[in-house]
Amino acid sequence: MRELNGDHVPETEEYGISSTVFRSGAPFHPGRLWTFITESLDSGVHGQVLRSKGFFTLATRPHVTGLWSQAGSVARFEPASARDVESPFAQELVFIGTSLNTESLRAVLTDCLMREDEPNPRSDPFPAWDTYGFDEVCEHEHEPLTSVTGH
């Protein structure tokens, strides 16, 4: 009835819900990103993150684009698709919450990216992904063809 009378306050205004998108062309450092997820994401320091989702890439898993899905204290990170290692890396994540501190959230995510000339990390704390076929290179894709006659 309030909606029909023009008295309705949208939930985004009533509860202070906002969102922000983080995009980058650099891969994430898995250790720094894992620390952010396990220690900072749900801490309230960047506001109350209610939901986050999107696509991400890790420097240690260059053949796979990951799917990021978080709601409350439950988070899933799993393979979404195979990617060509020649393609640019891509991060595209949306964070939805209340009292979001967009600047601090973007700063901490930027700090989780690989830095120029930084060596590839030796370890990766993310759980193993079942990527059968995603991260394998077929021999026929890179082996030179030999002639049928053997000459």
Side-chain angles (χ1 to χ4, degrees), residues 9-42:
V9 176
E11 287 80 7
T12 53
E13 289 179 29
E14 184 174 353
Y15 300 107
I17 296 173
S18 63
S19 66
T20 187
V21 176
F22 177 80
R23 290 184 180 98
S24 177
F28 279 121
H29 183 288
R32 290 193 295 268
L33 184 62
W34 188 255
T35 299
F36 162 71
I37 291 165
T38 59
E39 297 177 11
S40 182
L41 179 62
D42 201 26

Side-chain angles (χ1 to χ4, degrees), residues 98-111:
T98 57
S99 305
L100 288 182
N101 184 336
T102 337
E103 292 81 23
S104 73
L105 195 53
R106 285 190 181 145
V108 73
L109 287 164
T110 299
D111 192 50

Side-chain angles (χ1 to χ4, degrees), residues 81-144:
S81 64
R83 63 178 296 283
D84 181 355
V85 293
E86 300 302 319
S87 299
F89 285 96
Q91 316 301 344
E92 188 162 1
L93 301 169
V94 63
F95 294 84
I96 304 161
T98 57
S99 305
L100 288 182
N101 184 336
T102 337
E103 292 81 23
S104 73
L105 195 53
R106 285 190 181 145
V108 73
L109 287 164
T110 299
D111 192 50
C112 291
L113 297 170
M114 290 292 291
R115 297 177 182 109
E116 208 171 308
D117 299 326
E118 180 177 21
N120 213 23
R122 292 176 173 241
S123 64
D124 179 339
F126 281 79
W129 290 343
D130 180 12
T131 58
Y132 181 76
F134 276 25
D135 50 5
E136 297 174 4
V137 176
C138 294
E139 288 181 23
H140 72 272
E141 291 179 352
H142 295 286
E143 292 295 318

Side-chain angles (χ1 to χ4, degrees), residues 58-94:
L58 297 171
T60 50
R61 303 177 191 200
H63 294 280
V64 182
T65 296
L67 177 66
W68 174 304
S69 179
Q70 171 267 328
S73 60
V74 177
R76 291 180 55 170
F77 308 98
E78 55 194 16
S81 64
R83 63 178 296 283
D84 181 355
V85 293
E86 300 302 319
S87 299
F89 285 96
Q91 316 301 344
E92 188 162 1
L93 301 169
V94 63

